Amino acid sequence: MKKYDLIVIGGGPAGYAGALKAAQYGKKIALFEKEKIGGVCLNVGCIPTKALSSKAGLLENIRTQTQKEVLRDAGLFSYKKIQKQKNEVVNRLTRGVDSLLKAAGVDVFLKEAEIISPNEIKAGSEVYSTEYILIATGSSNLLNLSFDNKNLSYDSTGLLNIDRVPSRMVIIGAGVIGLEMASIFNSFGTKITIVELLPEILPDFDSDVTKAYQRQLEKRGIEFQLGSLVKSIDSIQENKKRIIFTDKDGQEQNIITDIVLCSIGRKPNVDKANAEKLNLKIDEKGFIVVNNMMQTNLPNIFAAGDITGAPLLAHVAIKEAEVAVKNMFSDKKNHRSTNLVPSCIYSYPALAKIGLTAKQAKEKNLEILEGVYNYIGNGMALALEETTGFAKIIVSKKDKKIVGGQILGEQSVELIMQLAVVIANEMTVDQWDEKIMVAHPTLSEILHEAIMDSDNKSIHTPLSKKS
């Protein structure tokens, strides 16, 4: 029987990050993955989506310049070649992770593994023993939905691999995945309708931000049916689908479409953990319960990533895995923090947030100041011709500490990380003013002006708007 210091089950972001972190402690590690190294994120999630999104954004820019007659006869594209490049990006990254694991001395087994005891796993006919187990089996798209008993809808994995651009698509669910797919395929020329049960999109953001975001998507031709309940999906002639739903006024509506994307949530991949047999604690939704050290109720079994039910994001998964491994092999105990999780939507325009929203601050009875600055007032935004959007900063009124921010607009998903550093170090508006010099011209100046606006000190905000 082969013996390891750590066996990792799952080769996605949490799994491979955990294995690589353990290798830094000189440990003997095995990683089991039943499909492909890289998991959902690298193979059928974050990376291929962003590869498509980059081309969608390029097309939007080309169309804008064509309308202004800067470019002529531009904007035709080959979806087949876009898909080919997407696959090349995915393959390059997965090969890179394979190489890192090999260089770190991790034994990688492309097999399905099952936990049979707190110190043993079984893969095929082989049994492997270990001091610790890290469960990083991730999550899957919700399937077998009541309104789609004939399985006529696509999930995001299937949609990423279609070989043609549909002329019409209905997306069920206005979450991050649904909105990103809507933006991408809208840029490719697909007519998009989003059907969402809730009365507004993205409830974790402030409503003034999401309303501005929705307006921009609507300007591009994306239609929203909010407060609507899907009843059924049927197949009709010529490979068309008919989706029937009840709208916000209680009226039954139907849309004929080429493709239906169902993007309403994910479920944990907990089957092979043998939770009941091992007495491994799971919650009512099937996610593994862990403490803030990523430890389950069985002391030598840890879990990280989507399987724990924390925000289902690759960067959360990586961080959780690192915390778990540090707590296995380091004398200094580490704790998971969910206070500073960046949330990013890679659409056109992009949207991002970190820290507290105004809504969350109010729920905590925290008195706040708000600072806002629009892209259109920024020199670099004007030079890039990306003037849509704004930054909104949340500041504690009591001590003027910067506690949160939301950014709608070009490169918002990159700019938001500046706020992560600011908030993590509990920086105040005055400290920012005294210590930070922002390069000019940059989009970062938008953040600077928004921060200063929270204290009525933005020199590029008209005085008449401060009173």
Side-chain angles (χ1 to χ4, degrees):
M1 182 187 297
K2 290 185 178 180
K3 182 172 176 59
Y4 291 92
D5 298 308
L6 170 65
I7 288 179
V8 180
I9 305 177
Y16 73 70
L20 293 172
K21 176 56 69 174
Q24 293 179 352
Y25 290 92
K27 302 301 179 180
K28 187 177 181 182
I29 311 131
L31 184 151
F32 289 82
E33 167 56 52
K34 68 177 183 177
E35 294 180 1
K36 295 179 179 179
I37 294 296
V40 168
C41 178
L42 264 66
N43 290 286
V44 292
C46 326
I47 300 304
T49 303
K50 304 320 168 272
L52 293 182
S53 182
S54 71
K55 296 301 178 289
L58 178 61
L59 283 171
E60 291 294 338
N61 289 329
I62 289 172
R63 290 190 186 112
T64 297
Q65 297 306 317
T66 303
Q67 289 168 3
K68 294 180 178 181
E69 299 183 350
V70 174
L71 299 176
R72 297 169 68 179
D73 302 325
L76 297 177
F77 65 94
S78 167
Y79 187 67
K80 183 178 180 180
K81 289 185 178 179
I82 289 174
Q83 284 281 36
K84 182 175 182 290
Q85 187 180 46
K86 176 206 75 176
N87 294 334
E88 289 171 353
V89 170
V90 169
N91 291 335
R92 181 170 182 173
L93 282 171
T94 52
R95 287 197 304 268
V97 173
D98 277 329
S99 297
L100 287 171
L101 291 167
K102 183 177 180 180
V106 177
D107 291 342
V108 176
F109 300 89
L110 295 180
K111 297 179 179 180
E112 186 171 54
E114 178 183 9
I115 302 174
I116 58 175
S117 82
N119 294 96
E120 294 175 310
I121 68 104
K122 184 177 182 181
S125 59
E126 296 284 332
V127 175
Y128 304 81
S129 69
T130 182
E131 182 180 359
Y132 292 105
I133 294 173
L134 176 63
I135 304 173
T137 47
S139 64
S140 302
N141 288 303
L142 285 173
L143 300 173
N144 302 317
L145 302 162
S146 61
F147 56 76
D148 187 22
N149 52 25
K150 297 178 183 177
N151 294 322
L152 298 175
S153 65
Y154 281 79
D155 60 17
S156 58
T157 299
L159 186 64
L160 284 170
N161 291 312
I162 61 174
D163 58 6
R164 62 181 177 83
V165 176
S167 61
R168 189 81 167 85
M169 186 191 304
V170 175
I171 297 174
I172 304 172
V176 173
I177 294 173
L179 291 166
E180 288 186 351
M181 291 297 190
S183 180
I184 289 167
F185 281 92
N186 170 265
S187 294
F188 291 154
T190 305
K191 181 173 173 53
I192 302 288
T193 299
I194 299 176
V195 181
E196 168 59 49
L197 181 62
L198 296 176
E200 62 179 19
I201 65 173
L202 303 173
D204 289 340
F205 286 74
D206 283 331
S207 60
D208 58 336
V209 176
T210 56
K211 286 176 181 176
Y213 176 61
Q214 183 178 331
R215 283 195 299 271
Q216 292 303 317
L217 296 180
E218 288 172 335
K219 283 182 180 179
R220 292 176 52 202
I222 296 173
E223 178 190 359
F224 286 84
Q225 291 284 349
L226 303 180
S228 299
L229 177 65
V230 176
K231 308 287 281 188
S232 64
I233 305 171
D234 298 308
S235 182
I236 58 176
Q237 72 242 8
E238 298 177 357
N239 297 318
K240 300 287 185 179
K241 311 292 187 297
R242 177 174 57 207
I243 179 170
I244 299 173
F245 61 94
T246 303
D247 67 19
K248 63 181 180 180
D249 299 317
Q251 301 298 309
E252 188 172 280
Q253 307 286 347
N254 73 86
I255 298 174
I256 307 301
T257 184
D258 298 303
I259 283 180
V260 177
L261 168 65
C262 189
S263 179
I264 61 172
R266 299 182 67 82
K267 62 179 181 179
N269 297 330
V270 74
D271 297 350
K272 295 299 180 179
N274 274 335
E276 187 173 347
K277 178 182 176 182
L278 296 172
N279 199 27
L280 182 67
K281 190 174 181 180
I282 61 174
D283 68 17
E284 65 278 2
K285 294 182 178 179
F287 293 99
I288 295 176
V289 176
V290 293
N291 59 23
N292 61 8
M293 295 190 297
M294 308 314 300
Q295 189 175 36
T296 70
N297 61 305
L298 304 177
N300 64 313
I301 297 181
F302 290 69
D306 287 7
I307 194 68
T308 68
L312 307 188
L313 300 165
H315 43 282
V316 172
I318 292 169
K319 195 67 174 178
E320 287 185 342
E322 291 178 344
V323 168
V325 170
K326 288 176 184 177
N327 287 319
M328 294 175 197
F329 302 122
S330 171
D331 292 334
K332 182 181 178 181
K333 297 306 174 186
N334 284 259
H335 298 93
R336 171 182 61 175
S337 173
T338 56
N339 294 330
L340 281 180
V341 176
S343 178
C344 302
I345 303 173
Y346 298 80
S347 54
Y348 192 85
L351 178 62
K353 78 174 181 72
I354 197 163
L356 293 179
T357 62
K359 181 166 50 179
Q360 291 167 336
K362 184 177 180 181
E363 291 169 357
K364 293 176 177 289
N365 295 316
L366 179 67
E367 287 190 84
I368 61 169
L369 303 169
E370 295 183 22
V372 175
Y373 195 76
N374 294 313
Y375 270 61
I376 200 167
N378 175 263
M380 180 58 82
L382 287 164
L384 295 171
E385 298 185 59
E386 295 287 356
T387 56
T388 295
F390 60 92
K392 177 180 178 180
I393 304 299
I394 308 300
V395 173
S396 168
K397 187 175 182 179
K398 180 181 178 181
D399 52 20
K400 293 188 181 179
K401 286 182 181 177
I402 301 161
V403 296
Q406 296 156 83
I407 310 172
L408 170 64
E410 177 72 4
Q411 296 185 31
S412 60
V413 296
E414 302 290 343
L415 293 171
I416 204 70
M417 292 315 300
Q418 295 183 35
L419 282 179
V421 176
V422 168
I423 298 168
N425 286 281
E426 299 186 336
M427 185 176 281
T428 67
V429 174
D430 290 338
Q431 287 172 332
W432 173 278
D433 188 22
E434 293 167 6
K435 296 180 179 180
I436 304 300
M437 180 185 295
V438 181
H440 173 79
T442 61
L443 295 178
S444 295
E445 292 175 286
I446 296 169
L447 276 184
H448 171 73
E449 297 294 346
I451 290 170
M452 300 313 299
D453 183 61
S454 68
D455 200 25
N456 290 326
K457 292 179 180 177
S458 167
I459 63 172
H460 291 99
T461 298
L463 290 173
S464 60
K465 292 187 177 181
K466 299 178 183 179
S467 57

